[in-house]
Amino acid sequence: MSINWFPGHMNKATREIYDILPKVDLIIEVVDARLPYSSANPVIENFRADKPCLKLLSKSDLADPAVTQQWLDHLQQDPSVRAIAITTQNPEPTRKLADTCRQMVNKKIDRATTITALITGIPNVGKSTLINTLAGRQVAKAGNEPAVTQRQQRIELGEGLVLIDTPGILWPKIENPASGYRLALSGAIKATAMQDDDVALYAAEFLMEAYPELMKERFKLDALPAEGVPFLETIGQLRGCLGRGGHVDFDRTATLLINEYRSGKLGQITLETPAMAEKEHVRVAQIRASKAQEKEERKKARKAAYKAKANKKA
């Protein structure tokens, strides 16, 4: 399974980023602390080249603190990357980002020196909220739906820092199925891209395995079912998500579980660890290599068929 959800404004935004990149000193990428691998855009990683990158793990108050620390350590193994966990609940670290940017850029620490930072990230990771906190006023439109920002804008923050705000961009094809589910669960992909019941089933199976105690506590259960479908049925019965004949309404149950995850009611939960991400990264590379080989074989088969046809005519 691969997901294609790449609205036209995202395509345009990607081209505009390439155009402005030579004028940029630093890239600030906002990722979701609950899924730092799946919410990091590989397109951004490709075009940043050797430019320093400040990775901001947003919504860290909703993530598992222990796993967040694992991610901070993992990301900073790259000497050109600095990683910081942020949250709207504690805006103080966000307000100090101008100094952090200055430290990362090879320029004199002089308030008269202007640093231009490109701020980017996938939809619905809190980028606009972050910009408004930095500016101390509302300069970027924020919302709970993806694709709110649809054009590039230049924002003068003072203290020698200029932000180039870009629309939230996804990559044309999400090849890792697990990443697709995590992005849908977090709300980064529009609801029409995937079915809620599929996303909820993925969530149920992951949550039972990774956070069994949180699930038992939240739903007042002594033990968890062995599989995702019975777990969803149990949730539906407990929360009154019933249809005709007293049967569980899976659509309502799926929506309930997804909303409780997004709001943090299930607890502080991270959907992936660095170890999981490394394995999945290898798997995606294998998928790409396999597809490339299949494409090459089809190309050779077409050439052979064309030559055979030509020889037959001759």
Side-chain angles (χ1 to χ4, degrees), residues 78-113:
D78 182 339
S80 65
V81 173
R82 175 87 179 270
I84 300 174
I86 61 172
T87 170
T88 55
Q89 307 300 317
N90 180 20
E92 199 56 36
T94 300
R95 296 192 180 109
K96 296 178 180 178
L97 288 181
D99 289 334
T100 303
C101 292
R102 194 171 292 280
Q103 291 166 11
M104 294 180 66
V105 174
N106 292 324
K107 288 187 175 182
K108 288 172 56 180
I109 301 179
D110 181 352
R111 295 293 177 183
T113 302

Side-chain angles (χ1 to χ4, degrees), residues 25-85:
D25 300 304
L26 171 80
I27 291 176
I28 301 174
E29 183 179 13
V30 186
V31 298
D32 191 323
R34 299 168 297 175
L35 50 154
Y37 168 67
S38 295
S39 62
N41 192 334
V43 174
I44 295 170
E45 189 63 29
N46 290 337
F47 67 53
R48 84 173 178 89
D50 59 348
K51 290 185 183 291
C53 180
L54 177 58
K55 290 257 191 181
L56 300 178
L57 278 63
S58 69
K59 306 183 183 183
S60 61
D61 55 310
L62 300 176
D64 183 331
V67 183
T68 296
Q69 188 57 55
Q70 290 179 30
W71 274 109
L72 295 174
D73 296 339
H74 175 77
L75 292 168
Q76 292 181 139
Q77 290 177 10
D78 182 339
S80 65
V81 173
R82 175 87 179 270
I84 300 174

Side-chain angles (χ1 to χ4, degrees), residues 27 32 47 52-53 90 96 110 119-120 139 148-149 155 162 188 213 217 236 251 268 278 282:
I27 291 176
D32 191 323
F47 67 53
C53 180
N90 180 20
K96 296 178 180 178
D110 181 352
I119 184 165
T120 186
V139 294
V148 172
T149 304
I155 302 167
V162 174
E213 296 307 315
E217 180 182 351
D251 289 336
Q268 291 179 298
E278 287 180 357
V282 171

Side-chain angles (χ1 to χ4, degrees), residues 248-280:
V248 171
D249 185 329
F250 275 94
D251 289 336
R252 287 174 58 196
T253 305
T255 300
L256 182 147
L257 183 63
I258 291 169
N259 288 341
E260 291 210 356
Y261 167 74
R262 290 177 182 173
S263 66
K265 291 179 180 178
L266 298 181
Q268 291 179 298
I269 291 169
T270 300
L271 299 177
E272 58 194 14
T273 65
M276 290 168 60
E278 287 180 357
K279 290 180 181 178
E280 290 173 15

Side-chain angles (χ1 to χ4, degrees), residues 30 119-122 125-132 149 165-168:
V30 186
I119 184 165
T120 186
I122 69 167
V125 289
K127 180 169 60 68
S128 295
T129 301
L130 167 69
I131 291 171
N132 292 335
T149 304
D165 181 24
T166 62

